[in-house]
Amino acid sequence: MTILRGGTRTLKSSPEQAPDASIGQPSSRPLWIMGIPLALYVVMLVGKGGDYSVLVDFVLAELAGLATVVVCWIAVRRAGFVRREVTLAATAVTCNFLGDVSFTVSTRFLGEPGSPSVADLFYLAFYGLILASLFVTARRQLRRVPWAAFLNSAVGSVSVAAFMAVLLNPVLVSASAEPVSLATLVNLAYPMLDLLLIAAIAGVAALYGRHAGRAWVALIGGLVVYAGADVAYALLDGGYSLGTLLDSSWAIGLVLIAVWVDRASYPVVAAPREPNGVMAFVVPAIATAAGLGILIYATQNHISALAIGLASVTLALAVIPMISRERGLNHLSRTDDLTGLPNRRAMYSDVAARLASDRKQGSALLLLDLDRFKEVNDSLGHEAGDRLLVQVGVRLARELGPLDLLARLGGDEFAILVARNRDGEASAFADRLRAALAVPFTLEGISLQTSVSIGIALYPSHGSDLGALMRKADTAMYVAKSSGSGHHVYQSDDDRHSEVRLRTIQELRGALDANQLILHFQPRIDLATAEIHAVEAVIRWNHPVRGLLHAADFLDLVEDAGLVRALSEAVLVQALNQAVDWQDRGLALGVAIRLPPAVLIDAGLPEHLGAMIANRTLPAFVLTLEISEEFLLADQSRARAVLNRLRAQGVRMSVDDFGTGYSSLALLRDLAIDELRLDESFIVAMGHDDRSSTLVNSAIALAHSLGLRMVAEGVDSEDAYDALVRFGCDSAQGSQLCAPLPAAEFDAWLTARRGAEQTRE
């Protein structure tokens, strides 16, 4: 929020910049103008003793007061006479000066003044004007402070006023006991105005707290000193005499007030100030203690009704921020910090009532889990992953009806409770959600496409409470993820799938230590020479009970088991050790393996892999890393950096499943790639689709034009083999040629093949 003061824009300050930090550099001249007379007056006052001195108590005292008046009106002129708070404060200081002159002259030279006197009029005007100046300033400030800060300020003001009412109780009781007259009203006005002034001081202090600038500190200090002198004067109960040290208190207070007036006349630029969190707790706590203390004190002593009333108001006001904070904390405890959606706690607390009201109509719980979300975190970083989750939450919220409930449960899991469980409504809604999330997201300037797996549990048929529905929806979600169906409605048979999954995850953790995860090798045949120069290593699990498991049976669970890096390390070790064994036996065979994006994106991979190869005295080109198009597209800059460092060491690069993703000529041109692996779906279709044959021929020609080799996957027929030879494909692999085999069986197969070739020759 901005405020125009005299044509100058004023902004609220930040914690680093005081509320009154000026654009320009305020001159120190006003401090000298006021400081020299004040210092001379105070020193002479202390040195003269208790006797009245015209030089000290009149000439020097009024000279110090006149200096404050001069400084204040110079400030008014500097502000162009349009800053009302400056003009009001300057007028207040002037009235106090005239009151001092009038009081001293009438007391020392004209005899005792009457009551009320001319001095009383000036002094009372000072209170009214300075309070008006504070009101004008506060009115502007309160427009741009939060409600909680304003409430803290009010609590502080009332609590201090209550305390001062107790302190001034003798004065208030004495003044109120006298017969009603103008003199009595004037005598009663002073302590009441002191209450207002001190309350205003407390409000300003509570509002700014530790963020108050030096000028505001001067104002608060000046008002405290001035009001303190007034209180001391009142408590003397007629024992005051002119020419004592008490007189210097008023002079010091007015100089400090004039300092604020001088600084307030300069243009101000300030930025929004953070709420003072400490004051938000300290002020209500102290105010509550003060209010309770006053009320307890009132049970044993007679104090004014004003003090009791102020103490009661203090307690009432202090409760409000406590209730507000309690509600705020409750809201925070039920809200996800990242997305602003309800969290798991809110889901569990709100759903019970929702289910009870939906018993007849029924409802459905949808559990959503982003597919391959870990790859986003590993490739682009957790900050990008967080932004993706925020965008996902926004898109999901757009699809909700007025009675639907969306919550983020944690990680990349979301839950939605909807009143759709009949005639496929929940499934249709799931399809709509998947379609909404299928639209590419933009992260780090990269267009990223994601998908989601959704498990659906229906109420009340699949469970009578949220716990049961969550378990069923979780089971259905993993069925959807493993089957690739996108969404799945829970069925009783899914429990067996869930049990198998959990047991498999547990068994995976021990499979590595037991050397149950092994490599099989499938040869790649050079189509020009029919020779074998390389193999692809594929993972298999030699399960002690279930037998030999292919990668599709367990690889999706590796991430859930937390074994991605451990399994990748084991694959590298086995593949390189096997390459060493072949090299020692005179077999020059390269090995191709596929690593997950989480491992490929590791900045330390090139050095680690280079050390593993060097320790085995292998040439780096013996290893080929197969990478997915999705990995390359997800973060091209990071992928390029890692791949270039690997290629600099001699490691070969192959793009796997070419043709199924979003490859572009720029991608193939710019990245350090050696070969493309044409997806088997194109090879299989060649037997019955002429267009597939044309695409394969074109893809091979494209690879060669870019200086890349082409490897065909899934060659399962003689016709496909012959067609690839005609098209000029470089190498091929598939069941027609040889299925993946354990190392020993592959060696036997290779020996038999080479023996047969020699026999034919």
Side-chain angles (χ1 to χ4, degrees):
M1 171 179 281
T2 60
I3 298 176
L4 294 179
R5 293 182 176 178
T8 302
R9 172 166 286 190
T10 303
L11 302 175
K12 196 174 176 183
S13 71
S14 65
E16 293 78 14
Q17 183 183 15
D20 49 7
S22 301
I23 297 175
Q25 294 294 328
S27 172
S28 60
R29 186 179 303 171
L31 298 179
W32 290 104
I33 294 175
M34 297 184 294
I36 293 175
L38 176 65
L40 185 61
Y41 166 56
V42 173
V43 170
M44 295 292 290
L45 183 64
V46 172
K48 77 176 181 65
D51 296 333
Y52 179 80
S53 168
V54 174
L55 175 63
V56 176
D57 298 312
F58 181 69
V59 177
L60 291 180
E62 304 311 333
L63 181 62
L66 181 62
T68 62
V69 173
V70 171
V71 168
C72 286
W73 284 105
I74 291 175
V76 172
R77 185 174 182 276
R78 182 187 304 117
F81 294 89
V82 295
R83 299 278 293 277
R84 286 185 296 168
E85 69 275 23
V86 175
T87 304
L88 288 170
T91 306
V93 171
T94 303
C95 286
N96 189 88
F97 169 72
L98 295 176
D100 286 343
V101 172
S102 175
F103 180 79
T104 303
V105 169
S106 60
T107 301
R108 302 301 304 180
F109 304 110
L110 302 178
E112 286 295 328
S115 181
S117 64
V118 175
D120 287 324
L121 296 178
F122 285 121
Y123 287 143
L124 293 176
F126 166 82
Y127 282 105
L129 291 167
I130 200 66
L131 286 171
S133 176
L134 291 176
F135 173 77
V136 171
T137 305
R139 185 180 177 185
R140 287 175 176 148
Q141 295 293 334
L142 292 178
R143 293 174 183 172
R144 54 183 189 243
V145 299
W147 166 253
F150 166 73
L151 196 56
N152 281 340
S153 178
V155 170
S157 297
V158 178
S159 63
V160 171
F163 176 77
M164 292 305 301
V166 175
L167 186 63
L168 294 172
N169 187 63
V171 179
L172 294 171
V173 171
S174 174
S176 60
E178 295 179 3
V180 177
S181 64
L182 185 58
T184 302
L185 293 177
V186 170
N187 292 335
L188 187 60
Y190 280 107
M192 296 299 294
L193 290 171
D194 281 327
L195 282 178
L196 287 176
L197 186 59
I198 293 174
I201 297 169
V204 171
L207 187 62
Y208 285 109
R210 61 185 175 86
H211 299 311
R214 285 178 295 179
W216 274 101
V217 171
L219 173 64
I220 294 171
L223 293 175
V224 168
V225 172
Y226 189 95
D230 271 358
V231 172
Y233 174 84
L235 294 177
L236 287 174
D237 194 20
Y240 166 80
S241 59
L242 190 63
T244 63
L245 287 176
L246 183 59
D247 293 336
S248 65
S249 300
W250 284 295
I252 293 172
L254 288 170
V255 167
L256 291 173
I257 294 171
V259 169
W260 173 77
V261 174
D262 176 71
R263 294 302 186 267
S265 65
Y266 285 88
V268 177
V269 169
R273 174 171 51 88
E274 295 178 357
N276 191 346
V278 175
M279 297 300 288
F281 289 94
V282 171
V283 172
I286 295 177
T288 302
L292 286 173
I294 291 171
L295 294 179
I296 294 173
Y297 179 80
T299 61
Q300 306 295 325
N301 302 272
H302 176 67
I303 62 175
S304 65
L306 176 62
I308 296 175
L310 290 173
S312 301
V313 173
T314 297
L315 291 177
L317 290 176
V319 170
I320 297 176
M322 293 180 181
I323 295 174
S324 177
R325 274 191 298 275
E326 180 66 25
R327 294 181 62 184
L329 291 174
N330 181 61
H331 175 73
L332 289 176
S333 70
R334 293 166 46 86
T335 303
D336 177 58
D337 292 338
L338 178 63
T339 62
L341 296 172
N343 58 15
R344 183 181 293 269
R345 180 195 297 269
M347 187 80 180
Y348 272 85
S349 62
D350 293 347
V351 164
R354 186 78 63 87
L355 292 180
S357 63
D358 288 347
R359 180 172 293 275
K360 292 182 179 180
Q361 180 180 354
S363 38
L365 177 69
L366 282 69
L367 193 62
L368 297 83
D369 184 87
L370 297 183
D371 298 329
R372 299 186 303 278
F373 176 71
K374 190 174 186 299
E375 295 180 11
V376 176
N377 277 339
D378 292 334
S379 301
L380 303 181
H382 289 277
E383 184 178 351
D386 288 346
R387 287 201 294 273
L388 174 60
L389 292 175
V390 172
Q391 293 185 37
V392 167
V394 171
R395 289 197 188 177
L396 292 176
R398 291 173 183 166
E399 302 298 324
L400 300 183
L403 300 179
D404 298 337
L405 174 64
L406 167 66
R408 181 188 175 216
L409 302 182
D412 60 337
E413 281 194 343
F414 295 82
I416 303 178
L417 184 70
V418 297
R420 301 175 180 88
N421 73 339
R422 285 176 281 182
D423 300 326
E425 288 181 316
S427 295
F429 182 58
D431 285 333
R432 203 169 78 218
L433 294 176
R434 297 187 71 247
L437 297 181
V439 179
F441 295 89
T442 300
L443 295 174
E444 303 287 348
I446 298 169
S447 180
L448 178 67
Q449 190 162 18
T450 187
S451 59
V452 64
S453 296
I454 304 176
I456 304 173
L458 306 179
Y459 172 82
S461 56
H462 293 157
S464 59
D465 56 61
L466 181 60
L469 292 175
M470 287 287 288
R471 290 191 297 271
K472 303 295 177 60
D474 185 66
T475 299
M477 184 267 292
Y478 278 103
V479 172
K481 187 177 288 286
S482 60
S483 65
S485 61
H487 74 270
H488 179 76
V489 180
Y490 171 80
Q491 300 174 6
S492 58
D493 292 342
D494 296 338
D495 289 330
R496 181 178 176 278
H497 177 277
S498 179
E499 293 173 3
V500 171
R501 173 181 166 274
L502 293 175
R503 184 169 61 251
T504 303
I505 290 176
Q506 184 63 32
E507 292 171 344
L508 263 174
R509 295 190 174 100
L512 275 173
D513 296 334
N515 296 320
Q516 296 174 7
L517 296 173
I518 59 175
L519 293 182
H520 284 199
F521 301 93
Q522 185 174 40
R524 292 182 177 178
I525 297 179
D526 189 306
L527 295 179
T529 64
E531 295 181 355
I532 298 174
H533 301 296
V535 297
E536 181 185 17
V538 294
I539 191 73
R540 296 288 187 264
W541 184 0
N542 192 13
H543 196 283
V545 177
R546 299 165 61 187
L548 189 67
L549 301 180
H550 287 212
D553 297 323
F554 64 88
L555 210 54
D556 288 341
L557 303 178
V558 170
E559 182 178 328
D560 294 335
L563 298 174
V564 173
R565 295 185 181 277
L567 179 60
S568 299
E569 183 74 8
V571 168
L572 283 170
V573 169
Q574 289 189 47
L576 293 175
N577 286 346
Q578 185 59 54
V580 170
D581 180 66
W582 285 329
Q583 180 179 259
D584 292 343
R585 291 191 281 122
L587 298 175
L589 293 176
V591 182
I593 62 174
R594 182 167 184 171
L595 294 179
V599 176
L600 281 172
I601 205 65
D602 186 355
L605 177 65
E607 288 72 21
H608 177 63
L609 193 53
M612 293 180 70
I613 295 173
N615 291 340
R616 292 167 172 80
T617 64
L618 287 170
F621 61 78
V622 78
L623 179 66
T624 299
L625 293 182
E626 299 173 353
I627 53 182
S628 66
E629 290 180 302
E630 288 80 8
F631 164 70
L632 295 176
L633 288 166
D635 189 348
Q636 293 184 32
S637 61
R638 294 183 65 177
R640 182 181 292 109
V642 174
L643 297 186
N644 286 342
R645 288 164 59 197
L646 288 167
R647 284 287 286 113
Q649 296 178 2
V651 176
R652 296 173 59 81
M653 295 293 157
S654 176
V655 176
D656 199 12
D657 299 331
F658 178 74
T660 61
Y662 304 91
S663 296
S664 67
L665 293 178
L667 175 66
L668 300 179
R669 178 198 64 199
D670 296 339
L671 293 179
I673 299 169
D674 296 285
E675 67 181 28
L676 305 177
R677 287 168 50 86
L678 192 61
D679 187 70
E680 63 179 310
S681 61
F682 294 96
I683 308 301
V684 172
M686 282 196 309
H688 56 81
D689 185 359
D690 292 339
R691 289 185 300 177
S692 294
S693 297
T694 302
L695 287 173
V696 170
N697 192 10
S698 300
I700 294 171
L702 173 63
H704 290 167
S705 68
L706 294 172
L708 305 177
R709 290 176 55 84
M710 178 65 81
V711 179
E713 301 179 283
V715 180
D716 61 354
S717 67
E718 286 287 349
D719 292 339
Y721 185 93
D722 294 339
L724 291 170
V725 171
R726 290 196 311 272
F727 296 155
C729 186
D730 297 289
S731 57
Q733 65 185 77
S735 59
Q736 172 66 22
L737 308 175
C738 179
L741 298 171
E745 295 182 23
F746 172 78
D747 289 346
W749 177 87
L750 184 60
T751 301
R753 175 185 172 85
R754 291 183 173 179
E757 290 176 351
Q758 293 175 358
T759 300
R760 285 196 297 270
E761 292 175 357

